[in-house]
Amino acid sequence: MVVTMQDVARRAGVALSTVSATLTSARPVSAATRARVVAAMDELGYTRNALARGLASRRSRVLALTYPVGTSGLSRTSAEFVLSAAQVAQERGYQLVLWPFGVADEAGIVEVAGQGLADGVLVMEVHLDDVRVRGLRAAGVPVALIGRTADDGPLPTVDVDFEATLRDAVAHLAALGHRGIAFVNHAAHRVAEGHGPTVRAAAAYERAMTDRGLAPVQVFADESVAGGRAALAGLLAADEAPTAVITMNEDATFGVAAELAARRIAVPRELSVLAVVSSPAVSGQTVPPLTTLHAPGAQLGRAGVDALLALLDTGTPPPPALLPCRLVDCGSTGPVPAPEPALAGAHPQTPTRDGHRRPRRRPARTHTEELDEEDV
Amino acid sequence: MVVTMQDVARRAGVALSTVSATLTSARPVSAATRARVVAAMDELGYTRNALARGLASRRSRVLALTYPVGTSGLSRTSAEFVLSAAQVAQERGYQLVLWPFGVADEAGIVEVAGQGLADGVLVMEVHLDDVRVRGLRAAGVPVALIGRTADDGPLPTVDVDFEATLRDAVAHLAALGHRGIAFVNHAAHRVAEGHGPTVRAAAAYERAMTDRGLAPVQVFADESVAGGRAALAGLLAADEAPTAVITMNEDATFGVAAELAARRIAVPRELSVLAVVSSPAVSGQTVPPLTTLHAPGAQLGRAGVDALLALLDTGTPPPPALLPCRLVDCGSTGPVPAPEPALAGAHPQTPTRDGHRRPRRRPARTHTEELDEEDV
DNA sequence: TTGAAAGCGGTACCAA
DNA sequence: TTGGTACCGCTTTCAA
């Protein structure tokens, strides 16, 4: 039925071990023999059996990718990451298996890792104190992290450079004259859980602002459209409403866009919006499209796989990699609105110090209402 | 280092084969021995080696999922599918490997399948004439399809019921009085490629319309925001502009929404929009949120894995499964606009027969322009 | 440079 | 009911 190495050996008139040698080049094989073996192989249509190879060599050439399940599906950015990881693995002669486990399911993950199907594990959505990582390390399973724990020790690590990203975001807006720059982060419970991106971005944003003598205004928004709407509404209701908003929460970003539309707020004339650690594929879907600091999803996948393979091959973890986000201008950021001259009475506004401005309060309306109003 | 079955056997004072038997229950084991074996196992922290087990039993308990690479990342619906497939596989004691291959890469897929890591393959995004499927069948690899080829023969198959979905979509809109119901399908090149969903939905839509004596108006839109905008613009420019639009092209749907916003078209008062084979997670992100015929992504994943496992277990393919989409009303569909009474002169319109209506032509504007106009 | 044989860690069949 | 053992298909010494 299936063609085995023994079949090839017989057809080529050599020993089984010689066939193996031509494949692995673990030992010299003369050109002549090699040619006969190769000929026999493709006459027979031979393919090496992955299971047997893995068992004998203690290297399955399979990598596992574990990601938290239960959370609202994969974001487009994460999906990008997964696909690129699978592709790079393939290019390297590896296969990628998916391990859907809860972030707290240490037992489950250690159990399946113990089965030895995978040579190593890529952990996504790493928490500052991550039981999965701890469990795998304790079990002696090679691990690479997408993200970082509080103390990675010698683990290979690739992550978004949140420090640089938020610094760049604030710098970009500050260069446009903004001083009231708010930040819509992930949900509050993420902080408590020690969700790396949330915590790191929060700190980076605060630092970037205070370094410039600006007052940070941070909102932890529920990861949903409603959460984003509420977040923006809250920001605009404040005494010192921001003139620019940075969003990192992909789901909430759609809500921010929706709220902007409902209030008929001109972007970027009245308010600048900058989506960070996002993807143009996502930001291009909002109305208006949002300028983005593009998360390096594909590069992260590539780097993560390569880091894990480096660990596997050399036994020592490669140095941690922090990848920057790239600015993609979709036109949603612009100069800070100038305080309106006193004589322009049509829309009274309250300019304040520091480039803050008090926009007129407009109630949010449903879109239907919004459109009905003037189209009837 | 690693605990082997032999270790367990020694500790329990039984033969290796007895340990195996307690695990596989392939043969009776007395309660007493079983207890001793089990005790030994968890004293030692034993876990069965997947590779060895697979090699010996000719069943790796690994399933492969292949999806076309190169196409613009995974749609949210597809991602939903992949995740649920991985999860169901896990529940069944299987692991899922990802095989990123081009739709035409028969050689690549057959090659990796020949390595025997996977017991069977799940093929996504199946084409009517699919070389991957042909190649795998010819190679004797168990296959299940997400989608259907033109002639599946005895292959296990799960798919969206496009016939029912488009029928339901048209029925839903027709019940609201619409007669001018247009359909924004995938890109034209998909038809040429024999992309199942595109072709089946196209036919189903035409049938659903003509069955009601309505004239089908179908647009094959580029899979992008721009494509969607252009599609809607084209429809509205026609002599008999539709009063309702069905969209199936997830990327273009965002464009349709954007164009609606740019033209300030009231949804659903002026135009009803219904996104089919989509996901509320997606439709909720547009402004306004779109009523959706929710694609059964998760169920498809579940059904696909189960179909493949059924084939693996019984040797005979289970009957094909067609899963319906479920209506999720987000308020973007409503009654057909009544032809305006002649005396209402504010916005001249041209009512036509058949419930068609000629909306006033409004040029599309950028959002910035749009908002600037009245907020300055 | 090549061949022979001992595992890798299990499953499955056989005899006891 | 249990123990012994022949493989599964390949990698990896070790001699020749």
Side-chain angles (χ1 to χ4, degrees):
Chain A
M1 185 70 197
V2 307
V3 182
T4 161
M5 203 170 246
Q6 185 61 263
D7 299 331
V8 176
R10 248 188 305 265
R11 194 137 185 4
V14 299
L16 188 157
S17 60
T18 302
V19 177
S20 178
T22 56
L23 250 16
T24 60
S25 43
R27 79 181 198 198
V29 174
S30 74
T33 351
R34 153 162 281 118
R36 306 216 329 272
V37 170
V38 170
M41 287 201 306
D42 44 49
E43 280 165 26
L44 265 39
Y46 172 75
T47 308
R48 240 181 337 193
N49 180 290
L51 257 29
R53 179 147 92 118
L55 181 58
S57 66
R58 281 121 225 241
R59 278 279 230 143
S60 64
R61 276 132 221 282
V62 170
L63 263 27
L65 174 65
T66 184
Y67 55 87
V69 75
T71 58
S72 57
L74 241 47
S75 70
R76 196 113 172 190
T77 306
S78 304
E80 210 171 70
F81 172 83
V82 174
L83 295 193
S84 84
Q87 222 166 326
V88 180
Q90 177 156 276
E91 289 167 16
R92 304 282 187 267
Y94 278 72
Q95 308 205 33
L96 194 73
V97 305
L98 255 29
W99 285 356
F101 282 107
V103 280
D105 193 356
E106 176 181 355
I109 244 181
V110 170
E111 154 99 42
V112 63
Q115 297 174 7
L117 207 224
D119 287 334
V121 182
L122 233 42
V123 183
M124 274 180 79
E125 300 282 329
V126 171
H127 284 51
L128 294 181
D129 179 20
D130 202 300
V131 293
R132 301 169 298 174
V133 176
R134 252 205 320 241
L136 289 170
R137 289 191 66 173
V141 179
V143 176
L145 311 186
I146 313 308
R148 291 160 287 160
T149 60
D151 168 31
D152 295 329
L155 295 179
T157 268
V158 303
D159 200 1
V160 170
D161 189 340
F162 291 98
E163 190 72 32
T165 300
L166 272 297
R167 196 186 336 105
D168 291 351
V170 169
H172 174 75
L173 293 166
L176 291 166
H178 295 274
R179 298 183 62 75
I181 303 173
F183 179 38
V184 177
N185 201 331
H186 286 286
H189 67 86
R190 295 280 195 170
V191 178
E193 294 164 7
H195 184 240
T198 305
V199 173
R200 290 202 171 81
Y205 163 73
E206 302 262 348
R207 195 149 38 230
M209 290 294 281
T210 52
D211 279 359
R212 292 176 177 274
L214 302 178
V217 178
Q218 186 162 190
V219 185
F220 296 92
D222 186 51
E223 280 146 31
S224 65
V225 172
R229 296 192 70 146
L232 185 61
L235 286 171
L236 296 181
D239 278 348
E240 304 240 318
T243 60
V245 175
I246 299 170
T247 69
M248 184 170 81
N249 183 328
E250 191 168 293
D251 296 294
T253 298
F254 287 100
V256 168
E259 189 67 14
L260 287 169
R263 294 181 181 236
R264 293 275 174 74
I265 293 178
V267 174
R269 209 185 42 69
E270 287 188 291
L271 190 74
S272 285
V273 181
L274 177 57
V276 301
V277 198
S278 180
S279 143
V282 170
S283 309
Q285 290 170 352
T286 58
V287 180
L290 301 180
T291 294
T292 300
L293 275 167
H294 184 189
Q299 291 103 297
L300 276 176
R302 185 163 293 277
V305 168
D306 281 337
L308 183 51
L309 289 182
L311 173 62
L312 254 22
D313 288 337
T314 70
T316 50
L322 286 183
L323 276 52
C325 293
R326 215 186 61 252
L327 184 76
V328 179
D329 195 331
C330 297
S332 71
T333 60
V336 65
E340 307 204 349
L343 56 154
H347 292 298
Q349 292 189 197
T350 312
T352 64
R353 60 172 167 73
D354 283 348
H356 280 95
R357 189 179 47 105
R358 188 194 207 96
R360 25 182 237 289
R361 301 283 165 69
R362 276 168 301 199
R365 290 163 291 190
T366 72
H367 312 288
T368 311
E369 284 167 355
E370 165 194 357
L371 292 163
D372 280 344
E373 279 168 28
E374 49 158 30
D375 286 334
V376 171
Chain B
M1 186 71 197
V2 306
V3 183
T4 159
M5 203 170 247
Q6 186 60 262
D7 300 331
V8 176
R10 251 190 303 266
R11 195 135 183 7
V14 299
L16 189 157
S17 61
T18 302
V19 177
S20 179
T22 61
L23 250 15
T24 59
S25 43
R27 79 179 197 199
V29 176
S30 74
T33 9
R34 152 162 282 118
R36 307 221 326 274
V37 170
V38 169
M41 288 201 306
D42 45 47
E43 280 165 27
L44 265 39
Y46 171 76
T47 308
R48 256 194 345 278
N49 181 291
L51 258 29
R53 179 146 92 116
L55 180 58
S57 66
R58 279 120 227 241
R59 279 278 232 144
S60 65
R61 276 133 220 283
V62 171
L63 264 26
L65 175 65
T66 184
Y67 55 87
V69 74
T71 58
S72 57
L74 238 46
S75 72
R76 196 112 173 191
T77 306
S78 304
E80 209 171 70
F81 172 83
V82 173
L83 295 195
S84 83
Q87 224 166 322
V88 180
Q90 178 157 274
E91 289 167 16
R92 304 281 188 268
Y94 277 72
Q95 308 204 35
L96 194 73
V97 305
L98 256 28
W99 285 356
F101 282 108
V103 280
D105 194 356
E106 176 181 354
I109 242 180
V110 170
E111 154 100 40
V112 63
Q115 297 174 8
L117 207 224
D119 287 334
V121 182
L122 232 43
V123 183
M124 274 179 78
E125 300 281 329
V126 172
H127 284 52
L128 294 181
D129 179 21
D130 202 298
V131 294
R132 301 169 298 174
V133 176
R134 253 206 317 244
L136 289 171
R137 289 191 66 173
V141 179
V143 176
L145 311 186
I146 314 306
R148 290 161 286 161
T149 60
D151 169 30
D152 295 327
L155 295 178
T157 269
V158 303
D159 200 2
V160 170
D161 190 340
F162 291 99
E163 190 72 31
T165 300
L166 271 298
R167 197 186 335 105
D168 291 351
V170 169
H172 174 75
L173 293 166
L176 291 166
H178 295 275
R179 298 182 62 75
I181 304 172
F183 180 39
V184 178
N185 201 330
H186 285 287
H189 66 87
R190 295 281 195 168
V191 178
E193 294 164 8
H195 184 241
T198 305
V199 173
R200 290 202 171 82
Y205 163 73
E206 301 262 348
R207 195 149 38 230
M209 290 295 280
T210 52
D211 280 358
R212 292 177 177 274
L214 302 178
V217 178
Q218 186 160 190
V219 185
F220 296 92
D222 188 50
E223 280 146 32
S224 65
V225 172
R229 297 192 70 145
L232 185 61
L235 286 171
L236 295 180
D239 278 348
E240 303 241 320
T243 60
V245 175
I246 299 170
T247 69
M248 184 170 80
N249 184 327
E250 191 167 293
D251 296 294
T253 298
F254 287 100
V256 168
E259 190 67 14
L260 288 170
R263 293 181 182 236
R264 294 273 175 78
I265 293 177
V267 173
R269 209 185 41 70
E270 288 188 290
L271 190 73
S272 285
V273 181
L274 177 58
V276 300
V277 198
S278 181
S279 143
V282 170
S283 309
Q285 288 170 353
T286 59
V287 180
L290 301 180
T291 293
T292 300
L293 275 167
H294 183 190
Q299 291 102 297
L300 276 176
R302 186 163 292 275
V305 168
D306 281 337
L308 184 50
L309 289 181
L311 173 62
L312 254 23
D313 288 338
T314 70
T316 48
L322 286 184
L323 276 53
C325 293
R326 213 186 63 254
L327 184 77
V328 179
D329 194 330
C330 297
S332 71
T333 60
V336 64
E340 307 205 353
L343 57 153
H347 292 298
Q349 291 188 198
T350 313
T352 64
R353 59 172 168 74
D354 283 350
H356 280 93
R357 189 179 50 105
R358 189 193 205 95
R360 25 185 237 289
R361 301 283 165 70
R362 278 169 299 200
R365 290 164 290 188
T366 72
H367 312 288
T368 310
E369 283 168 356
E370 165 196 355
L371 292 162
D372 280 344
E373 280 168 26
E374 48 159 29
D375 286 334
V376 172

